[in-house]
């Protein structure tokens, strides 16, 4: 049974649509209230319906394939028709005007009637559903130009002499063919762009492993499909494998990289009793876990649902255009009908010939070329200019709305910071130098798999320190490591481990607290049960971040940090950068809730992040901004990508947004002004006083000039300064 909005007729089933998988719900990207259980066309805007939740396997888009075939097969015909119309009179010695007219007719028939057939179907549907839109304008405009030209070709004798030029009645096959080809090209670009909206969800679905290794009661093991895992199953996670589902560790110990879901850059040590999250990456240890959440209950599945829900809930940018098109179409049709009857009943002889010509002139001059190009041309030029400035806009909605943003939510890891631990400082006491502390710690940490240890070892090697091979090594879960290097007992760890070893860390407590306030992770080093020093590792702030925060504040934005990191670390980074509001230890759903709360308070919210855990909030914000240095999922969920991961790109994007919206308003004003002046002239209001009539040929020329003016104005955006 269809679940579409009952206030609208059901969408028709397009002939080219593929059979729908059982249970698939199709919805309109622009009007999410349209929902049905089979493919079709939106009865409101004419867009093709899409699956509500994409599958992991990316199928060929049948509409994209169909439109591509129609476009490329008929483009040569359109070009020939255009050349004949523009330069054909130079060929009068070889090709008579009558033969040229018939040639244009024959060449344009496949373009208009075959390539343009889907547009006429949508035009008819918009009329049947009483929902005029841009397809109504295109269908009527092309139909009027082509229909008039066919009559002029077949029966030129019914036209008065004033409509003859170069030995024939003016025809407009080239206008009809060019409009069809340009519309098809626009549809191909739009369909390819729309297909990317599901990339985020496919990338998320691809994070989960395809299989899990289940332990049987008899001790044997088997690989099973992930869909066959049940709550309570015991599963083995080998080194380097992904955790299959959410669960709890029963045996083993390892470090698990959860950064793709939590944003925390440092892998988390897991031992018996610890919780693990599906799709996170196991380190070098082996774990046995008990499955606690499977299928739609896992955190990954919930993030997928959040992203899909946020994408569907976006307010369509086309809503205003639909409303304008509705009244515009009604006004044009009304004027054309009044023109027809006024000339037919009151005009000079042949009155009904004049009636047809003037009514057609109204429809041709009202053809939505300038109106249709007004915003797409501005968007196309703006996106190219933005790309030069390191900003990638995914859609026109983002460009239009970016200027309205007043609140920016930023993730910390990978957005404000580099996103990976780096050595910060070493401090020695009791006769140990900085180099001694670093050399001893790195020697012992060679056997550790922890990323903090990797940062220490990397720094020692960068300085060319000679590392010794540990004679003994032991890891203490979550608190540090012990071992013997060069005959000396070494302990590296936190305050708790020092207390266990009977080492007094008080002499360095002040420095340790100061480093923690800077957002660093601090480890103490003890040699032969005596404090020798400390080492600090931190996720450094990007060099461009401080300037970016100053520029964002200068632009009037309120900046809110929301991170999965600890509150102390988050506050430390916020203090350094002057961030207005801080939220630490937040989960993906908490970020979404924060976005929704701020939006409910009336703020226009942008979210900037780089991780998979940011994807739902990026999709749910008014504007999602992904770091180009981050994950594919984040970039697919966001409407804007900063190629270099530099937050200063937000200021550039805002400048371009303001310039683009101003340009679009200029274009729309010109397009409507052109129609406001051109339609009355085409209807013949100047004839009683000045004897001026606007033939369809002049109407087509005026239509073309209006389009050229719109394009020329849009090209000015290419010179917009963003620095």
């Amino acid at each position: 049974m269809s679940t579409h909005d009952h206030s609208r007729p059901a969408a028709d089933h397009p002939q080219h649509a593929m059979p729908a998988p059982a249970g698939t719900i199709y919805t309109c990207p622009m009007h999410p209230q349209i929902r049905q259980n089979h493919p079709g066309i939106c009865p409101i805007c004419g867009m093709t319906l899409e699956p509500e939740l994409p599958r992991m396997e990316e199928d060929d888009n049948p509409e994209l394939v169909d439109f591509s075939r129609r476009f490329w097969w008929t483009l040569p015909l359109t070009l020939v028709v255009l050349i004949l119309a523009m330069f054909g009179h130079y060929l009068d010695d070889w090709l008579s005007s009558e033969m040229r007219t018939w040639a244009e007719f024959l060449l344009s028939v496949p373009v208009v009637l075959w390539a343009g057939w889907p547009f006429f179907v949508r035009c008819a549907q918009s009329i049947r559903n009483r929902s005029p839109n841009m397809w109504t304008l295109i269908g009527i405009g092309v139909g009027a130009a082509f229909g008039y030209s066919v009559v002029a070709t077949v029966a030129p004798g019914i036209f008065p002499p004033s409509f003859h030029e170069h030995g024939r009645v003016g025809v407009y096959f080239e206008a009809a063919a060019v409009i069809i080809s340009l519309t098809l090209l626009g549809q191909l670009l739009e369909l390819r762009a729309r297909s990317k909206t599901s990339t985020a969800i496919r990338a998320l679905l691809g994070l989960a492993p395809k299989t899990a290794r289940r332990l049987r009661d008899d001790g044997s093991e088997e690989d099973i499909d992930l869909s066959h895992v049940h709550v309570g199953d015991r599963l083995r996670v080998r080194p380097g494998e992904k955790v299959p589902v959410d669960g709890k560790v029963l045996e083993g110990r390892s470090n698990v990289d959860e950064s793709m879901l939590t944003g925390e850059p440092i892998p988390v040590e897991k031992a018996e009793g610890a919780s693990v999250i599906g799709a996170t990456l196991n380190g070098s240890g082996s774990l046995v876990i008990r499955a606690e959440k499977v299928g739609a209950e896992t955190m990954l599945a919930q993030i997928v649902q959040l992203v899909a829900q946020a994408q569907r809930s976006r307010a369509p940018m086309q809503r205003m255009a639909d409303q304008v098109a509705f009244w515009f179409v009604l006004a044009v049709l009304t004027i054309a009908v009044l023109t027809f009857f006024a000339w037919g009943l009151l005009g000079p002889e042949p009155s009904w010939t004049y009636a047809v010509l003037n009514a057609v002139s109204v429809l041709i001059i009202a053809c939505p070329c300038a109106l249709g190009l007004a915003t797409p041309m501005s968007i196309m030029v703006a996106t190219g200019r933005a790309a030069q400035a390191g900003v990638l806009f995914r859609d026109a909605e983002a460009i239009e709305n970016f200027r309205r943003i007043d609140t920016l939510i930023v993730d910390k890891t990978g957005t404000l910071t580099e996103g990976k631990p780096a050595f910060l400082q070493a401090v020695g006491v009791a006769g140990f130098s900085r180099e001694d502390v670093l050399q001893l710690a790195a020697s012992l940490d060679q056997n550790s798999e922890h990323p903090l240890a990797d940062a220490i070892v990397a720094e020692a090697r960068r300085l060319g320190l000679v590392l010794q091979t540990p004679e003994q090594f032991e890891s203490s879960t979550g608190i540090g490591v012990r071992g013997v290097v060069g005959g000396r007992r070494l302990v590296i760890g936190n305050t708790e481990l020092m207390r266990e070893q009977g080492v007094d860390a008080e002499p360095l407590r002040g420095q340790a607290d100061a480093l923690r306030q800077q957002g660093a992770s601090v480890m103490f080093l003890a040699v032969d049960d005596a404090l020798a020093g400390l080492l600090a590792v931190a996720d450094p702030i990007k060099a461009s971040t401080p300037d970016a925060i100053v520029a964002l504040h200068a632009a009037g934005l309120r900046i809110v940090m929301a991170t999965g990191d600890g509150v102390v670390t988050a506050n430390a980074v916020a203090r350094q950068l002057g961030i207005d509001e801080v939220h630490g230890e937040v989960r993906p759903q908490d970020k979404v809730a924060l976005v929704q709360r701020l939006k409910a308070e009336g703020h226009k919210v942008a979210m900037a992040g780089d991780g998979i855990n940011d994807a739902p909030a990026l999709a749910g914000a008014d504007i999602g901004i992904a770091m180009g240095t981050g994950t594919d999922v984040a970039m697919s969920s966001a409407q804007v990508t900063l190629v270099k991961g530099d937050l200063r790109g937000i200021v550039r994007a805002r400048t371009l947004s303001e310039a683009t919206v101003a340009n679009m308003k200029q274009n729309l004003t010109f397009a409507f002004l052109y129609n406001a002046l051109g339609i009355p002239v085409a209807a013949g209001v100047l004839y009683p006083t000045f004897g001026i009539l606007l033939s369809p040929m002049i109407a087509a020329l005026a239509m073309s000039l209006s389009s050229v003016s719109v394009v020329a104005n849009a090209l000015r955006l290419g010179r917009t300064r963003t620095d």
Side-chain angles (χ1 to χ4, degrees), residues 576-619:
Q576 291 182 58
L577 295 174
I579 290 174
D580 303 305
E581 183 179 329
V582 183
H583 299 270
E585 299 179 1
V586 296
R587 299 165 297 174
Q589 54 266 43
D590 297 328
K591 293 185 179 182
V592 175
L594 177 61
V595 168
Q596 292 172 342
R597 176 175 66 80
L598 290 170
K599 289 172 68 174
E601 292 173 359
H603 296 288
K604 295 297 181 181
V605 180
M607 168 73 194
D610 77 323
I612 292 165
N613 62 308
D614 300 317
L618 289 170

Side-chain angles (χ1 to χ4, degrees), residues 349-413:
E349 293 296 332
S351 62
W352 291 105
T353 299
Y354 280 115
V356 171
L357 292 174
N358 289 325
V360 168
S361 292
V362 169
L363 291 172
I364 289 177
I365 204 166
C367 189
C369 288
L371 187 61
L373 288 171
T375 55
M377 280 304 303
S378 297
I379 295 300
M380 184 170 67
V381 177
T383 51
R385 180 66 187 90
Q388 294 175 348
V391 179
L392 302 180
F393 285 104
R394 195 178 74 179
D395 53 36
E397 182 183 4
I399 297 178
E400 183 182 11
N401 291 336
F402 209 107
R403 65 196 174 95
R404 299 192 179 101
I405 296 301
D406 58 44
T407 302
L408 173 65
I409 302 175
V410 290
D411 178 45
K412 181 186 78 70
T413 305

Side-chain angles (χ1 to χ4, degrees), residues 406-458:
D406 58 44
T407 302
L408 173 65
I409 302 175
V410 290
D411 178 45
K412 181 186 78 70
T413 305
T415 302
L416 300 175
T417 66
E418 296 290 350
K420 55 185 179 182
F423 181 81
L424 180 64
Q425 186 176 352
V427 177
V429 294
F432 288 92
S433 67
R434 172 186 181 277
E435 288 73 18
D436 293 336
V437 171
L438 182 58
Q439 188 265 340
L440 289 170
S443 296
L444 181 60
D445 274 337
Q446 290 178 98
N447 285 7
S448 175
E449 62 182 27
H450 200 283
L452 296 182
D454 290 343
I456 292 171
V457 173

